[in-house]
Amino acid sequence: MDMTVKERIDELRQQLNYHNHKYYVENAPEISDYGFDMMMHELQRLEEEHPEYDDPNSPTKRVGSDRTVDFKTVAHRFPMLSLGNTYSLDELHEFIDRIEKEIGQTEFVCELKFDGTAISLTYENGRLTQAVTRGDGTYGDDVTANVRTIRAIPLVLQGNDYPAMFEIRGEILMPYASFDKLNTEREANGEPLFANPRNAAAGTLKQQSSAVVAKRGLDCTLYQLAGDNLPFDSHWDNINKAREWGFKISEYMRICHTVDEIDEYIRYWDEGRKHLPFPTDGVVIKVNRYADQRALGFTAKAPRWAVAYKFKAEQALTTLLSVDFQVGRTGAITPVANLEPVLLAGTTVKRATLHNAEQIAQLDIRIGDKVYVEKGGEIIPKITGVELSERPADSKPFEFITACPVCGTPLVRYEGEAKHYCPNQNHCRPQILGRIIHFIRRKAMDIEGLGEETVELLFESGLIRNIADLYDLKASQLAVLPRLGDKSAENIIRSIEESKRVPFQRVLFALGIRFVGETTAKYLAAHFRSLDAVMNASPEELIQAEEIGPKIAESIIDYFADEGNRTIIERLRQAGLQFEAETRELRSEVLSGKNFVISGVFENHSRDQLKEMIEAHGGKNLAAVSANVDYIIAGRNMGPAKLQKAQKLGIRLISETEFEEMISGDNTTESTSEQQPTADENINNNVPRQGELF
Ligand code: IVH
């Protein structure tokens, strides 16, 4: 049966939310920008046609957030909006027609759309004072210390004709050369690779250590000025002036007067960008004069005077030579295509992922076919289609393997799972090695000095067969192995010893239970507090924990039902690993018996930090406003409904500063009602009024 419109809307929202999280929160996209944008466009269209399904929480209503808890959160003086985008020249022409109808013939500036991560720099009296990421557009992370290490960014300006205070915005980029070097190093160290230069730039900018940032070879191109006293009244004149102050400004900007000139610029750069040393993903077209920009104004999330035309991902056509099958640590089988080498987006491609049997069948991919390969957000390119007109006459449908390519065990399919699995967990080499390698990872037990190669060496020498064997190793056994020696043997033993202090939630993740990733492990640890409690929980009890559904619950039950796994767990317990969550240390009891609700966005702390602070001082966090609540810590953008309810129930609103005072031990300044945020402040949503930006 066909899907109803409502079902399709729900499906798109759910998928967009999922991919948004992958992209903005995890920095690990699974689909290409093009695929994401197509889904977003379809959802926008359906929502426009069916206003009855409007939802304030729809992915179309928000700009993604890249905020983390580790950096100070600061408010943008001018919000950092996003740009409307299109892949269609027709839509771009409509955009230009609309503008010319509204304000008459005007000048456009065409520039490249740099594919990195946005940054806003503040300069006061010619010196860099603050660098903030885009965040949610209203609040971002203060990454000044990291940004100071980027050599393309001037710390002190040249000349003396710059405004006393202004902001300049641009893109922090990782050039291909830095990206390749970084991933080569990470591969050698057994660290996970960055999927693309954009993720590498964003990930680097949020490094805790600015020394690490300094080594990563980041670059920065600036493309927009904001401030009250800019020298000229057009984008072009100001941005060119900024070059004189020492900023890196693109050499590839052009002023265009007609649609033909804009088309020509796009055509040129669709090909020309392939020869640039840094990544770009489109062209940005901006109205040049500020007076015109002001007249056109803004929508809620983007200016009406600019648009991004995005290039389609590059494709190449090549021959599928053969298919290999890789076996992962969970036994999952991944088919990998071997291709006739072909040049694609600056690198030679020889392999591509094929996901699973269903995808192969759906595209009817056959050995010997000419196939289209595309680079999306992933490290390994993927096959997106077959050129049927070039199919050899004698080609045969592809047959998926039925037995494990390594150990020969017949493969199985689990209900609702697209992948095939080798069920021979305990005797299939890549599964055994994969589990040990997962166990020692930085985010798991973090056993330094043990890389993939050393694990293989220990396995080949018969010293380890499972994760518990690691804790029986002796330095004398390691020192005699090739490439090791006394010093590295001792280092390995020391870090194995140190891993016994790794907190419970990471131990739980390290076990490698199917579907129990880092976040799930955190939720399980927080809910059950000990491994014994997780092991003894029934499926019904497991799904009581946050984010745990029946599928994960079943996988946990299966894991602990296995005799072999239980033996390993007992040996790890004997070795002294942390099987219990640490008891939270109470810093004081000043909030004992008090219930809090946190609402809105804050200047100094993230919401999670505030929650932790409440608990550390003996208070309790509640999710909803009710008569049980003693205080609401109110930040900016607190929802009006919450505010009303709080007023009705007479609940005390306190600001972040008042809360800080409450727990600082200095409670002498009992705050007065004037110090409490007013309803007005709370619902000020910081969106610029027309013309306010410049
Ligand atoms: S102007 C108010 N110019 O694209 C709009 N943005 O989708 C200000 N970007 O967040 C942005 N190259 O990170 C502008 N030449 C360029 C750009 C550019 C890349 C990024 C920027 C922005 C995103 C919007």
Side-chain angles (χ1 to χ4, degrees), residues 340-351:
E340 181 82 45
V342 63
L343 199 66
L344 176 65
T347 48
T348 305
V349 171
K350 300 186 202 107
R351 286 159 78 76

Side-chain angles (χ1 to χ4, degrees), residues 547-563:
E547 301 282 322
I548 311 293
K551 192 169 100 171
I552 304 180
E554 190 187 325
S555 163
I556 296 171
I557 299 279
D558 286 352
Y559 180 89
F560 290 113
D562 184 285
E563 192 60 45

Side-chain angles (χ1 to χ4, degrees), residues 29 66 208 211 247 286 292 299 303 313 352 363 429 454 490 505 507 558 572 599-600 629:
D66 67 9
Q208 297 295 320
F247 294 106
K286 302 174 180 171
D292 292 343
T299 68
L363 294 172
R429 188 177 188 273
T454 317
E490 272 165 31
Q505 63 191 46
V507 175
D558 286 352
L572 295 177
S599 183
V629 175

Side-chain angles (χ1 to χ4, degrees), residues 89 110-112 250-254 256 259-276 280 282-283 309 311 314:
L89 280 180
C110 289
E111 43 196 87
L112 291 171
S250 171
E251 302 158 44
Y252 312 118
M253 300 193 306
R254 292 284 173 275
C256 296
V259 170
D260 286 348
E261 283 173 13
I262 295 173
D263 285 355
E264 172 59 30
Y265 183 89
I266 290 175
R267 231 184 340 246
Y268 179 83
W269 282 109
D270 200 358
E271 181 56 34
R273 74 192 184 106
K274 295 176 189 162
H275 311 291
L276 292 171
T280 55
V283 162
Y309 172 83
F311 298 129
E314 278 183 64

Side-chain angles (χ1 to χ4, degrees), residues 79-85 111-119 134 169-171 221-224 235 250 253 281-284 286 298 301-303 305-306 308 310 693:
M80 282 182 90
L81 301 176
S82 64
L83 285 175
N85 70 54
E111 43 196 87
L112 291 171
K113 186 168 189 303
F114 302 97
D115 196 9
T117 186
I119 193 79
R134 194 170 86 98
R169 291 173 175 181
E171 202 84 352
T221 297
L222 286 316
Y223 48 63
Q224 189 191 17
H235 168 56
S250 171
M253 300 193 306
D281 61 344
V283 162
V284 181
K286 302 174 180 171
F298 299 85
K301 49 183 184 180
W305 44 261
K310 301 237 304 195
L693 195 51

